[in-house]
Amino acid sequence: MTAVLGGRPEGLTSISLDDDLDPRARLVVVGNGMAGARFVEEVLERGGGEQFRITVFGDEPHGNYNRIMLSPVLAGEAHEDEIVLNSHDWYADNGVILRAGVRVERLDTAAKLVHAADGTATPYDHLVLATGSYSFIPPMTGVRREDGDLLPGVYGFRTIDETREMLAATSRCRKAVVMGGGLLGLEAARALQGHGMQVELVHAMPHLMNAQLDAEAGAILKRSVESLGIGVHLDSLASEVLGSEHVEGVLLQDGRRLDCDLLVVAAGVRPHTDVAVRSGLEVERGVVVDDQLRTDDPDVYAIGECAQHRGSVYGLVAPAWEHATVLADVLTGTDPTAEYLGSRTATKLKVAGVDVATMGVNTPERDDDEFLVISEPRRGVHMSVVIRDDRLVGATLLGDTRKVAFLTQAFDRGSPLPEERIRLLVDLTDGKEEVGVADMPADSQVCNCNGVTKGAICGAVADGCGSVGAVMDRTRAGKGCGSCKPLVKQVVEWAADGDVAEDPAASYYVPGIPLAKPALVAAIREQDLRSVSAVFAALAPGGAEEARSKMGLTSLLKMVWGVDFVPEKDGEFINDRVHANIQRDGTFSVVPQIKGGVTTPAQLKKIAEVAEKYEVPMVKITGGQRLDLLGVRKEDLPAVWDDLGMPSGYAYGKSFRTVKTCVGSDFCRFGLGDSTQLGIDLETRFQGIESPAKMKLAVVGCPRNCAEAYVKDVGVVAIGNGRWEVYVGGAAGASVRKGDLLATVDSPEAVLELTGRFLQYYRENANWLERTYDFVPRVGLEHIRRVLLEDSEGVVADLDAGMQASIDAYRDPWGQDAGEPATPGQFRSSLPLVPLPQVPVR
Amino acid sequence: MSVSTQAPEAPTTPGTETGTPATGVAVPGTAAPPAGRAYAVGRAADVPPGEGRAFVAGDVQVAVFRLRDGALHATQAACPHAGGPLADGQTDADVLVCPLHLYAYRWSDGSSPGGAGPLRRYPVREVDGVLVVDV
């Protein structure tokens, strides 16, 4: 009970220096809580250790600890050692004198001395008050003994010592009353209940968390809390604490008696201003400071919860840390003009098991404030926003905080809000249509890849483009990543006022050949068409080749024919022609295969040597856990591959690319399966397989999902006992979609088999450039399950055989073309003379 | 039209191995090409059917393409839209498509259905196995 948190094992040591020999200014901080210690950290970070001799006074004997974490400690979810921020050693190591357990009585601002309760007087040049707050104990008969101490069994909830005592009490007490239905009270109630105590919550206001929530949200929270088994008494004041030696209960004003053997008072906090008052500083609710956190004495500052800035006193840590930053800037001279202009307070936390996020105001304050509320009491969800002059000035989210990121951004930055306000709180329909098409201004960008505005699309329609495809060809809208295609379609339909021609090409696999994929594949097989030019000659209108169709046909033919495909370089996109990814300055990026993200020192050395030898301007770790050599000159590609001596990682193709993995069971203490090995096995088996669009996979060793398997084309998740979940159709790119659970299987071999089956089914049935996240919902998960798991169409054996044929046809493209170019000048520079604007490289 | 045989007998194929810029050789005394001067830029065999390759004619970068039907086209080497390497583009009988952002350009007049451009084109012909471009 008496251990010093963050203490030095051998006890306190102090550093003494001869004052006269130390040229540094004396900086004294009164208060060793979240604000004071953070301020010292900020000063040290700015090199303030050379400017200042720093002394910190702390009431408590402990080092600096995270007061926010007291609730988890009380709940038994965190150990007290985990909440130490700065131990005594930290102060010693940084040359800071910590006077822990020494209470400061007053300042002599004239003599510039700090008088402490131990009788010492410490001189200062700059003094910072960071005395924080204390628990407010409402006046109740019997709450204190004659000596002024709280009646045994009654606790505030502010310090580690109080927390320790309460924790000890939980083992011998059975009934608790918590006074105060704010954040802290709710957390205390939940924590005590978790220790098996019967808990009653008494709150003086008509609804819970009244500082943050409106009445309706408070009512919903009350139901959630009550459903946990905690009794809630609103509008209730305790007038008397019962018991003489130890607390026995409380008497409410309405005469009711609540028995208890533990009473927690969490009825709010008050700024600790005693020292400031005794020192003659200006104090209102808190110590009054200006925008540089200076009190009315020019050498005394105040930060954190004890400070009152522009009328506001904050009870949150974020403003305290902002204070610390500004004051450190000012005092160290890093930025002598730094100013603190107030905080916009936002909180996000879990209260009694319920997610709560609040920011700004919670109710409309002016006549023309917009106020939007969505309330679903049954689901325990309540959300509201307050909008003033088209800016978000407040939001409350209870039970559903999915929109908190967007709202926080809008709140902090004042970013524009959607016309349909409801979108602030919920994602409507498919989430793709951000605002109504008719409401979009003409200059709003529809296609971000190609910079096409709504106006340009409407112009194309006005110029006679009668179909979505024609508009896309004319404007290039939707021809980048393709994620805007649905919106392009909507804009076209709107601009044409319904008069949109049916786009026959929409169902074609590629635009140049008027056949859907199944018919095209059938014709290719029937007529034994093994090259792109043969397909055009046989199936295209007039035998005409079509540039944009070539790449899709090449991919399809490789899948259909495997090794028997007849390659034609002009049928390939440049990436496939040189097996590297073209960059915007005409150079290429080279990504060697690193299976499952696992590499070796030898591989790393080799990559580093190659990067140096060829003066690669940037080496970057890709999103797929590989190393990307960016800016390789086209003519250097064969030599780069040769020197690397590693296979292509296919980072450029519409093909199987990579398998992200977490560390799995080898080293991770949570790993339930060997995800690393399974990732390597998957990548080995399916390397280089062509497909309608890129295929990115991941395997994770437990549902913590460190390698993001839930948002991959195929994601595999170990769930223990040798079982693996296989998800399909996930995405985390331009579209975000959690994959659908296809099946749970019980061996890595089964994962490999099912993955191959799914990929082959996708390869055979998806449209060109259709990612799995569009394919799976289009075809339907249930249908895919029936086909792949129940063999409802009798194709499983064919799928397995088709995939195996492609696997057998794998050859490393670098190995082929590095030795001998496939065509004359395959690696000849395409921009030989004039230097082009280079991609800026960090 | 005849072309002087002062074109080098075995023109270098610059850039292939060394990456150094190609050096075009002026072909003097030709029957006045419609614009500018004629340069022998490289061997015809350097441009495979369906593909493009980049050369230098004087101080002008050009991309030369051989379509699958044998037709030769020469254009500026950098895409008018964002400087993309057009020689790396894909072709058919009607258009050239830049590899960077897939803008298409018509061989016939250099115009782009996508609104970029226009693309500058140059007369190109094959003389005794040598590509000759007028710039």
Side-chain angles (χ1 to χ4, degrees):
Chain A
M1 290 287 284
T2 54
V4 172
L5 197 59
R8 291 170 77 90
E10 70 276 32
L12 259 165
T13 57
S14 61
I15 304 163
S16 92
L17 275 171
D18 191 332
D19 277 6
D20 295 337
L21 294 178
D22 195 328
R24 298 177 297 174
R26 291 161 299 197
L27 174 60
V28 175
V29 181
V30 181
N32 187 34
M34 309 275 294
R38 178 62 169 248
F39 166 70
V40 172
E41 283 182 30
E42 297 280 348
V43 167
L44 293 175
E45 263 177 37
R46 288 161 177 75
E50 292 173 11
Q51 274 175 279
F52 300 111
R53 256 181 293 167
I54 305 173
T55 304
V56 179
F57 285 90
D59 255 5
E60 298 178 60
H62 313 291
N64 171 238
Y65 61 89
N66 188 345
R67 219 174 286 279
I68 299 169
M69 291 291 287
L70 290 177
S71 293
V73 171
L74 181 60
E77 292 162 2
H79 188 269
E80 59 177 43
D81 289 344
E82 295 172 43
I83 71 170
V84 174
L85 294 173
N86 300 107
S87 64
H88 281 267
D89 276 340
W90 180 88
Y91 292 88
D93 293 345
N94 285 282
V96 175
I97 299 166
L98 175 61
R99 308 278 297 276
V102 179
R103 176 180 294 261
V104 168
E105 298 280 347
R106 66 180 180 89
L107 316 177
D108 182 339
T109 53
K112 297 176 90 168
L113 288 173
V114 179
H115 292 285
D118 62 358
T120 57
T122 308
Y124 68 83
D125 296 301
H126 311 278
L127 188 122
V128 178
L129 289 172
T131 47
S133 308
Y134 63 93
S135 297
F136 171 63
I137 308 289
M140 292 176 282
T141 308
V143 70
R144 289 187 192 275
R145 295 192 306 201
E146 282 178 9
D147 60 5
D149 284 352
L150 291 173
L151 183 69
V154 180
Y155 300 100
F157 187 16
R158 185 73 192 164
T159 66
I160 184 67
D161 291 339
E162 288 169 330
T163 308
R164 287 169 169 174
E165 288 181 37
M166 277 193 275
L167 263 175
T170 55
S171 58
R172 58 176 187 269
C173 299
R174 286 183 46 249
K175 286 186 171 182
V177 167
V178 174
M179 294 189 54
L183 279 178
L184 201 60
L186 286 162
E187 286 184 336
R190 178 65 170 146
L192 294 173
Q193 194 216 16
H195 287 290
M197 300 186 74
Q198 185 188 327
V199 182
E200 305 286 331
L201 188 68
V202 178
H203 189 46
M205 305 300 286
H207 66 267
L208 294 176
M209 277 183 75
N210 51 284
Q212 291 89 7
L213 302 180
D214 63 22
E216 213 172 334
I220 289 170
L221 181 60
K222 175 171 180 272
R223 287 179 50 164
S224 301
V225 172
E226 284 173 336
S227 72
L228 298 170
I230 296 171
V232 179
H233 308 270
L234 296 176
D235 256 334
S236 298
L237 278 174
S239 55
E240 191 175 344
V241 176
L242 306 170
S244 52
E245 296 302 313
H246 192 277
V247 65
E248 290 169 9
V250 294
L251 207 55
L252 302 185
Q253 265 183 340
D254 60 11
R256 278 183 297 157
R257 177 194 164 119
L258 299 175
D259 288 335
C260 67
D261 38 21
L262 180 66
L263 173 63
V264 179
V265 183
V269 295
R270 297 287 185 272
H272 246 312
T273 57
D274 299 3
V275 175
V277 169
R278 283 196 288 263
S279 309
L281 298 168
E282 184 185 2
V283 174
E284 292 175 2
R285 288 161 58 217
V287 185
V288 177
V289 295
D290 65 12
D291 289 354
Q292 291 202 316
L293 291 317
R294 193 178 275 111
T295 66
D296 57 341
D297 183 292
D299 296 314
V300 179
Y301 302 80
I303 58 173
E305 296 187 358
C306 70
Q308 176 182 325
H309 172 263
R310 296 194 184 186
S312 292
V313 175
Y314 297 98
L316 294 166
V317 73
W321 287 357
E322 289 171 42
H323 295 168
T325 306
V326 170
L327 185 55
D329 276 345
V330 171
L331 280 183
T332 60
T334 308
D335 178 5
T337 63
E339 287 185 336
Y340 171 76
L341 300 174
S343 294
R344 297 169 73 84
T345 54
T347 55
K348 179 173 184 294
L349 22 85
K350 220 178 182 72
V351 183
V354 183
D355 284 317
V356 179
T358 65
M359 59 199 83
V361 300
N362 60 34
T363 46
E365 295 170 342
R366 299 184 191 166
D367 287 346
D368 55 354
D369 279 353
E370 291 177 63
F371 187 44
L372 173 67
V373 182
I374 293 179
S375 196
E376 294 180 79
R378 192 168 293 183
R379 214 156 61 85
V381 170
H382 182 88
M383 302 183 279
S384 69
V385 289
V386 184
I387 299 160
R388 183 173 302 158
D389 302 330
D390 276 334
R391 302 264 299 241
L392 185 69
V393 295
T396 305
L397 302 173
L398 181 73
D400 179 349
T401 52
R402 281 176 295 176
K403 296 292 269 185
V404 70
F406 175 78
L407 290 170
T408 307
Q409 193 169 336
F411 180 74
D412 287 343
R413 302 187 195 163
S415 47
L417 307 179
E419 284 293 318
E420 287 179 84
R421 304 303 199 203
I422 194 168
R423 290 180 190 280
L424 284 166
L425 293 177
V426 290
D427 286 314
L428 294 178
T429 61
D430 58 5
K432 286 176 181 168
E433 187 195 6
E434 285 302 321
V435 290
V437 167
D439 297 333
M440 286 170 61
D443 61 355
S444 65
Q445 196 145 297
V446 173
C447 171
N448 291 325
C449 295
N450 290 322
V452 183
T453 61
K454 175 190 173 189
I457 293 173
C458 296
V461 173
D463 284 352
C465 290
S467 70
V468 177
V471 170
M472 285 170 56
D473 283 342
R474 166 77 69 91
T475 61
R476 308 202 23 69
K479 299 229 167 183
C481 70
S483 65
C484 65
K485 274 184 194 170
L487 184 56
V488 173
K489 183 162 176 280
Q490 287 173 18
V491 175
V492 170
E493 284 166 353
W494 176 79
D497 203 14
D499 187 18
V500 181
E502 190 63 34
D503 205 347
S507 63
Y508 301 164
Y509 173 69
V510 288
I513 296 175
L515 292 172
K517 188 168 183 177
L520 177 59
V521 172
I524 286 170
R525 287 216 166 97
E526 272 169 30
Q527 301 183 38
D528 197 30
L529 307 171
R530 299 193 180 210
S531 70
V532 171
S533 57
V535 172
F536 279 124
L539 303 174
E545 301 202 349
E546 209 270 341
R548 299 170 192 279
S549 304
K550 291 182 175 181
M551 189 182 168
L553 286 176
T554 297
S555 169
L556 189 68
L557 290 169
K558 278 189 187 170
M559 182 189 76
V560 170
W561 297 116
V563 284
D564 298 324
F565 162 66
V566 177
E568 289 167 339
K569 275 286 164 191
D570 71 309
E572 297 174 346
F573 187 61
I574 183 62
N575 286 2
D576 298 304
R577 265 186 263 163
V578 299
H579 321 298
N581 202 348
I582 192 165
Q583 305 295 310
R584 74 181 202 200
D585 62 352
T587 63
F588 289 81
S589 94
V590 169
V591 177
Q593 189 178 59
I594 294 181
K595 287 179 183 171
V598 175
T599 182
T600 63
Q603 273 190 338
L604 291 173
K605 269 190 219 162
K606 181 68 82 180
I607 292 170
E609 282 162 7
V610 168
E612 282 192 342
K613 179 174 175 184
Y614 295 94
E615 296 173 340
V616 168
M618 181 189 271
V619 182
K620 189 181 179 307
I621 296 185
T622 70
Q625 296 181 337
R626 302 188 291 183
L627 283 160
D628 195 351
L629 306 180
L630 286 147
V632 178
R633 289 181 291 267
K634 191 181 178 189
E635 55 270 28
D636 285 343
L637 287 172
V640 166
W641 303 333
D642 204 31
D643 283 357
L644 279 172
M646 300 162 63
S648 166
Y650 278 89
Y652 45 82
K654 305 298 180 205
S655 63
F656 181 96
R657 294 202 173 178
T658 176
V659 184
K660 273 182 89 163
T661 61
C662 66
V663 73
S665 50
D666 276 357
F667 289 92
C668 177
R669 63 202 162 108
F670 298 112
L672 301 170
D674 191 350
S675 56
T676 310
Q677 187 58 50
L678 182 49
I680 292 170
D681 292 346
L682 281 165
E683 192 159 341
T684 304
R685 179 158 176 78
F686 300 113
Q687 60 190 342
I689 298 292
E690 295 79 22
S691 57
K694 62 188 170 188
M695 303 191 293
K696 295 160 84 173
L697 282 66
V699 188
V700 291
C702 78
R704 283 176 181 75
N705 195 31
C706 292
E708 297 149 6
Y710 293 116
V711 289
K712 293 294 177 188
D713 293 296
V714 177
V716 183
V717 182
I719 56 169
N721 299 324
R723 284 150 58 83
W724 302 82
E725 292 177 336
V726 178
Y727 290 82
V728 295
S735 295
V736 178
R737 181 178 194 272
K738 188 182 176 192
D740 299 315
L741 179 62
L742 179 60
T744 303
V745 298
D746 51 17
S747 71
E749 294 72 30
V751 171
L752 285 161
E753 182 183 70
L754 184 57
T755 301
R757 233 168 248 177
F758 170 76
L759 292 180
Q760 184 67 11
Y761 184 69
Y762 163 66
R763 276 166 22 109
E764 291 189 8
N765 293 282
N767 296 322
W768 177 236
L769 302 183
E770 182 180 36
R771 292 287 301 268
T772 60
Y773 60 75
D774 284 328
F775 174 75
V776 170
R778 176 172 68 83
V779 176
L781 180 67
E782 283 312 311
H783 179 76
I784 294 172
R785 275 190 178 147
R786 281 195 297 274
V787 172
L788 300 186
L789 305 176
E790 300 164 20
D791 202 8
S792 61
E793 294 180 356
V795 296
V796 163
D798 291 342
L799 292 175
D800 291 348
M803 178 52 85
Q804 190 60 48
S806 289
I807 289 165
D808 293 341
Y810 167 78
R811 286 180 69 196
D812 174 31
W814 292 354
Q816 299 168 53
D817 288 355
E820 191 174 338
T823 54
Q826 182 185 6
F827 300 104
R828 183 192 178 98
S829 167
S830 291
L831 289 166
L833 184 66
V834 181
L836 284 155
Q838 297 287 306
V839 179
V841 171
R842 264 170 275 273
Chain B
M1 182 189 295
S2 72
V3 175
S4 157
T5 53
Q6 286 178 26
E9 286 180 16
T12 54
T13 54
T16 311
E17 275 86 33
T18 63
T20 53
T23 310
V25 178
V27 185
T30 51
R37 304 177 66 190
Y39 291 87
V41 294
R43 284 191 303 227
D46 288 345
V47 186
E51 292 192 68
R53 295 286 183 259
F55 300 95
V56 173
D59 57 358
V60 180
Q61 295 185 92
V62 295
V64 176
F65 301 86
R66 181 192 304 281
L67 304 188
R68 284 198 153 262
D69 63 7
L72 284 172
H73 292 281
T75 70
Q76 67 188 86
C79 177
H81 166 239
L86 287 173
D88 283 341
Q90 283 189 297
T91 65
D92 61 27
D94 296 321
V95 297
L96 158 67
V97 181
C98 173
L100 281 200
H101 305 101
L102 308 185
Y103 274 85
Y105 299 94
R106 296 188 184 94
W107 299 122
S108 58
D109 59 1
S111 69
S112 168
L119 184 69
R120 180 180 292 241
R121 295 158 304 128
Y122 302 102
V124 57
R125 58 204 179 277
E126 183 183 332
V127 181
D128 297 336
V130 174
L131 295 169
V132 178
V133 177
D134 301 326
V135 298

